[in-house]
Amino acid sequence: MPHINPDQEALHLWLADPSRLPTFAANPMASAMGTRLLALDAAGGAIRLAFTPDGIFLQGAGVLQGGAVTAMLDFAMAFVLLAVLPAGHSCTTANVNVSFLRAAPRGRYIASAAILRRGRQLAFTSASLCPADDPERLVASATSTLAILA
């Protein structure tokens, strides 16, 4: 049986039975970010995740540090790809480009990501991040190149 990434396993279990709420407990960063799966369309290559990051991710001015914002976007882009890859395959971020559009105060956020193009070795994705209570207020957006690993 092929080795499966625990995050990928949670996503695949949810795809098999959407009544099961996936947990990302095996991923300390995802846990600290309060990561929750909201929607996943494997056929369409799209995902929506909710995040409620711990206070440890705040910087001195009381807003989320840019690395934390990047991490939320990166999780969304990697998780959408993990969801469509077969068991035994994984991915790693080769490149990520982030545009920070406004400060992100502590709170709950929604990241939406999509696969733009997928080949045998590389996938190209995009993501956006908005406050959960204001989906029109874009905080950051990103694109990423992910290497597919067998």
Side-chain angles (χ1 to χ4, degrees), residues 6-79:
D7 296 326
Q8 184 184 42
E9 182 176 27
L11 294 163
H12 283 200
L13 286 171
W14 186 85
L15 285 169
D17 181 4
S19 69
R20 288 178 83 156
L21 290 178
T23 176
F24 301 108
N27 184 324
M29 181 81 161
S31 292
M33 289 279 194
T35 308
R36 299 286 178 262
L37 177 65
L38 299 178
L40 175 57
D41 175 6
I47 196 168
R48 285 186 53 218
L49 297 171
F51 296 94
T52 310
D54 284 347
I56 192 169
F57 297 106
L58 296 177
Q59 48 97 321
V63 296
L64 291 172
Q65 193 269 347
V69 170
T70 301
M72 290 185 276
L73 293 161
D74 186 47
F75 273 130
M77 293 183 289
F79 282 11

Side-chain angles (χ1 to χ4, degrees), residues 66 69-74 77 93-101 116 123-129 139-146:
V69 170
T70 301
M72 290 185 276
L73 293 161
D74 186 47
M77 293 183 289
T93 303
N95 174 282
V96 64
N97 296 300
V98 180
S99 295
F100 301 99
L101 305 172
L116 302 174
F124 302 90
T125 60
S126 66
S128 61
L129 186 72
V139 169
S141 63
T143 57
S144 181
T145 303
L146 296 130

Side-chain angles (χ1 to χ4, degrees), residues 106-122:
R106 187 172 186 179
R108 187 168 190 252
Y109 288 87
I110 305 297
S112 300
I115 298 170
L116 302 174
R117 182 182 164 116
R118 178 179 145 208
R120 287 182 301 168
Q121 296 179 328
L122 295 175

